[in-house]
Amino acid sequence: MPELPVVVLVQGSFQQPAVYEQLTKSLRTLGFVTSHPRLPSCTDSDNPDFPQTTLIDDALAIRLELTRQVEYEGKTVMVAMHSYGGLVGSEAIPEDLSFAKRQSLDLPGGPDGRFDLVGAEEKLYADLPKSEAAFWASRILPSSHKVQESLLTRAAWRYIPSTYLICENDNAVPPQMQDAFAATVQAHVERCSTGHSPMLSHPAMLAEKIHEAALKAIHGPIAR
C-alpha cells in the first residue's frame, strides 16, 4: 500500500494554531504525518511591522515548507486549507511542485493596517458549546489589511485536483458562496453539517474526510 501523504495544514485567518490541535491529533491517529506552518499574518501581531504583512508573506511560509517536504525529503504532500488558507495555499504552490508535474519528470514527492474579527463566537464557533466558543473567541488574533490587498499570481487548482468540504451551517461563509467557490475551482465536493470550524466541533470527522481524499488521490474513487 502506498505511503500516506504528509498533510500540510494551511490555517484560516484570525486564529491561533491551537485551534487545529484536535484535528492534527485525529490525523495522526489515522497514520498521517502533519505539518502546520505558522502564518506571518497570524503571528506576533504586536510587532510594529505587522501591518505590512501580506498574503504573499503567508504564501512564502507555506511554500518554504512544501519545498522542504517535496524537494528535500521526497515526500508526497496533501495540502489541507481552511477558509482564508485556500487563497494562501493556491498562491503558495507552484506547478513544478505538483504531483503530476514531478511524476512527469520522474521526481519523487509531489500562501496601522490591523483589523479585528467581530462576532467570532457566532461566525466561527456557532456549533460549539458556549463556553468553548467564548474561549476560542477570546483568543482571536487581529489580521493585517495588507492580506486583503494582495494580488494572487497563480491558481494552483488549475493543475492540482481539489476536494472542497462544504460546511452547511457556516455563519462566516454561506453555503451558497461555498458552492460557488467549489464550482469555480472545479473541486470534488463533500458536505458536512458543521459550522465554520469543524477542526474544533468535529475533528475526527474532518480527519476522516481528509483521509478519504488522500486515499482517493492515491487509489481513485473510494467504494462506499
Side-chain angles (χ1 to χ4, degrees):
M1 179 177 178
E3 182 181 3
L4 287 173
V6 174
V7 176
V8 174
L9 178 62
V10 189
Q11 70 172 74
S13 56
F14 299 107
Q15 305 190 77
Q16 298 185 18
V19 169
Y20 299 87
E21 286 179 355
Q22 293 181 63
L23 171 61
T24 56
K25 287 178 182 177
S26 294
L27 287 169
R28 289 168 187 157
T29 298
L30 292 170
F32 288 98
V33 173
T34 65
S35 174
H36 182 176
R38 297 202 67 145
L39 300 185
S41 71
C42 296
T43 305
D44 198 15
S45 58
D46 292 329
N47 189 303
D49 293 330
F50 177 80
Q52 301 306 312
T53 303
T54 71
L55 183 149
I56 303 304
D57 296 312
D58 289 340
L60 288 172
I62 298 301
R63 189 181 305 171
L64 180 64
E65 176 63 7
L66 293 175
T67 300
R68 182 179 75 84
Q69 293 283 355
V70 174
E71 292 194 341
Y72 289 91
E73 298 190 9
K75 300 294 187 182
T76 299
V77 172
M78 180 177 186
V79 183
M81 301 173 282
H82 177 230
S83 194
Y84 162 76
L87 297 175
V88 175
S90 185
E91 175 65 24
I93 311 168
E95 187 172 6
D96 61 5
L97 285 183
S98 71
F99 184 74
K101 183 69 172 180
R102 291 183 66 81
Q103 277 199 321
S104 74
L105 298 173
D106 198 27
L107 294 170
D112 171 287
R114 300 174 179 86
F115 70 103
D116 295 307
L117 176 67
V118 176
E121 289 184 47
E122 278 301 312
K123 289 185 175 75
L124 304 185
Y125 310 124
D127 57 344
L128 291 178
K130 287 188 176 181
S131 59
E132 289 184 34
F135 171 76
W136 290 113
S138 72
R139 302 188 72 178
I140 285 290
L141 300 169
S143 188
S144 160
H145 272 296
K146 290 285 186 180
V147 303
Q148 304 290 323
E149 300 170 0
S150 305
L151 296 178
L152 301 183
T153 64
R154 61 174 54 87
W157 60 266
R158 295 185 184 276
Y159 43 84
I160 298 177
S162 303
T163 295
Y164 196 116
L165 179 62
I166 292 175
C167 300
E168 295 181 333
N169 289 297
D170 191 336
N171 290 338
V173 184
Q176 299 90 329
M177 290 182 64
Q178 296 178 60
D179 280 313
F181 294 155
T184 297
V185 303
Q186 302 169 27
H188 169 73
V189 171
E190 294 283 341
R191 296 179 181 273
C192 66
S193 60
T194 73
H196 189 75
S197 301
M199 65 283 185
L200 286 174
S201 61
H202 293 82
M205 177 278 295
L206 182 55
E208 187 58 41
K209 291 287 188 184
I210 293 172
H211 187 210
E212 289 178 6
L215 293 180
K216 180 182 175 186
I218 296 170
H219 300 295
I222 302 167
R224 293 183 181 274

